[in-house]
Amino acid sequence: MKLTIERGALLNALGHVQNVVERRNTIPILSNILIDASGDAVRFTATDLDIEAVDHADAKIDDTGAVTAPAGTLFDVVRKLPAGADVELELNKENSQLAIRSGRSKFSLPTLPAGDFQTMVPDEDATEFDIEAAHLRRLIDKTRFAISTEETRYYLNGVYLHTADTDAGKKLRTVATDGHRLALSEVDAPSGAETLSGVIVPRKAVGEVRRLIDNEDGDVSISVSDTKVVFKSGRAQLTSKLIDGSFPDYARVIPKGNAKAMIIDNKLFEAAVDRVATVSAERSRSVKLSLAAGRLPLAVHSAETGQGHEEIECDYQADEMDIGFNAKYLLDVTAQIEAEDARFLFNDPASPALVLDPGDESAQYVLMPLRV
């Protein structure tokens, strides 16, 4: 195998795939990227056996062939080469080393045979549809912060992607929850997605897809089967196994009758929560909100770390009430609000609160209270 490729094209392709590789692997070849040169392009593939990332780049192919090389080292070498430089990759058959040459820089990396590299086979009978990259970014960004990190509840370790029937028609919806908070976002269901049944996309795959489409403007093709989901954007593709489990009936968690409304300047509220939470105990991070007509006192009391108090104005006309929330969860939600004001709907101190964004009617957030 021998090829010449522009450094920027090589770095971009490697960047799309190398994050899939787990840095600590008991299987050596899973630390490598598969490089397959044929025709007028080179194909790069990385996998951890649960997720597979593939991208292509144009190159001048002198000798076709395939080999695997250490993902992290290869990426770091290319990243540190001068911008705009041409990079030559050549497999030395005598010592099975991958030679990397660019200008006066020369490197040699160990390789493993391409035949030992495992790739994922796509499933048949998949539901396929296209969605605008901007819409997919929104679906991910508005919900992924609420994905659970508790491994024992594995069915919460991802985003629930499905089509829902609403009064406004069919919606493609993402939902994430960790049992303490819930985030929901939706867009009009694209053509082909109307029959999509619910699947759980793992946390790592969600992050990799978001990175893949970060600067994309076109459509993303999605293919969903019973066991896998495939995302295609341009010449890049990400395939992931789905979480085999049942996502909880999240609709039961979303409050329907919360009548005590508080409208508050989101930036002022976010800053106030952040300030008083400075002295909160790290374990609970509980902030007490004392709802009163026209004002909102915030307080933190910790025997170990001290006390914090602040008061800001708000639009609240219901009965006075004290309710507590995890400060980090409050800040995660306020970070998603696009409008100047945030709308909180309460019922009582023991019931979940519903948070709405007047600037984005397609998003809903639920926060479970803490004892104060």
Side-chain angles (χ1 to χ4, degrees):
M1 184 193 78
K2 183 178 181 181
L3 63 95
T4 304
I5 184 172
E6 195 271 326
R7 179 257 187 191
L10 176 57
L11 185 65
N12 186 60
L14 290 175
H16 281 162
V17 303
Q18 63 96 24
N19 280 298
V20 167
V21 176
E22 292 291 345
R23 297 302 179 219
R24 297 179 180 178
N25 258 311
T26 56
I27 306 175
I29 201 163
L30 293 183
S31 298
N32 285 13
I33 284 179
L34 173 63
I35 307 170
D36 189 353
S38 62
D40 57 0
V42 57
R43 172 187 170 111
F44 300 93
T45 306
T47 184
D48 65 0
L49 299 184
D50 290 322
I51 304 175
E52 178 184 275
V54 178
D55 202 359
H56 300 75
D58 293 331
K60 180 179 178 294
I61 310 295
D62 295 314
D63 288 318
T64 62
V67 73
T68 75
T73 307
L74 177 60
F75 179 75
D76 286 341
V77 166
V78 175
R79 180 173 56 86
K80 294 177 181 180
L81 293 175
D86 284 336
V87 182
E88 184 180 287
L89 303 179
E90 182 178 10
L91 175 62
N92 188 324
K93 296 180 180 179
E94 294 181 1
N95 59 12
S96 297
Q97 297 272 309
L98 179 67
I100 306 171
R101 293 183 285 268
S102 181
R104 297 185 178 182
S105 300
K106 297 180 180 180
F107 301 88
S108 185
L109 302 183
T111 66
L112 289 172
D116 295 342
F117 195 88
Q118 299 184 46
T119 57
M120 298 177 72
V121 179
D123 291 341
E124 297 180 356
D125 300 326
T127 300
E128 299 181 356
F129 58 92
D130 293 342
I131 182 174
E132 291 182 25
H135 288 171
L136 184 56
R137 280 195 294 270
R138 175 176 290 271
L139 289 173
I140 292 174
D141 291 345
K142 295 291 184 178
T143 55
R144 66 171 171 169
F145 69 89
I147 296 175
S148 174
T149 57
E150 186 181 339
E151 298 300 330
T152 55
R153 304 173 75 184
Y154 66 94
Y155 50 87
L156 299 182
N157 294 157
V159 164
Y160 185 51
L161 176 68
H162 64 296
T163 298
D165 289 313
T166 71
D167 293 339
K170 288 187 177 292
K171 300 288 185 178
L172 182 65
R173 182 179 286 179
T174 49
V175 181
T177 181
D178 60 6
H180 305 288
R181 56 192 172 161
L182 179 146
L184 178 154
S185 183
E186 62 187 19
V187 297
D188 291 337
S191 177
E194 298 89 352
T195 60
L196 177 66
S197 58
V199 296
I200 308 173
V201 184
R203 180 196 314 112
K204 182 177 179 180
V206 171
E208 291 305 316
V209 170
R210 181 61 181 83
R211 184 179 290 110
L212 178 67
I213 64 173
D214 189 37
N215 297 309
E216 294 297 319
D217 296 323
D219 286 350
V220 179
S221 297
I222 302 179
S223 175
V224 183
S225 66
D226 292 337
T227 60
K228 296 186 185 76
V229 60
V230 181
F231 299 88
K232 295 180 181 178
S233 176
R235 302 170 77 180
Q237 174 176 307
L238 186 89
T239 304
S240 173
K241 293 180 180 178
L242 298 168
I243 293 177
D244 183 14
S246 298
F247 200 79
D249 184 5
Y250 66 88
R252 296 174 55 188
V253 179
I254 301 175
K256 301 296 190 295
N258 286 15
K260 299 177 180 178
M262 178 185 74
I263 300 174
I264 194 164
D265 185 297
N266 186 60
K267 293 300 182 185
L268 289 179
F269 179 62
E270 184 178 33
V273 170
D274 190 35
R275 280 192 291 270
V276 298
T278 305
V279 296
S280 67
E282 192 64 33
R283 184 175 300 174
S284 66
R285 291 183 61 85
S286 175
V287 173
K288 182 174 75 171
L289 310 182
S290 298
L291 303 169
R295 62 189 182 90
L296 177 68
L298 299 88
V300 168
H301 297 274
S302 172
E304 298 90 15
T305 55
Q307 302 180 10
H309 298 268
E310 185 156 346
E311 182 175 308
I312 57 177
E313 296 180 353
C314 71
D315 182 357
Y316 180 77
Q317 306 301 328
D319 297 336
E320 294 188 2
M321 180 178 72
D322 291 342
I323 188 169
F325 293 104
N326 181 299
K328 180 182 182 304
Y329 295 169
L330 279 174
L331 293 174
D332 283 343
V333 169
T334 56
Q336 304 302 321
I337 304 296
E338 298 178 6
E340 290 186 4
D341 294 332
R343 181 178 175 84
F344 286 73
L345 299 175
F346 303 99
N347 184 29
D348 59 59
S351 299
L354 179 63
V355 187
L356 302 176
D357 180 0
D360 180 11
E361 296 181 354
S362 66
Q364 299 181 58
Y365 310 98
V366 178
L367 291 173
M368 299 299 294
L370 298 174
R371 289 185 179 181
V372 291

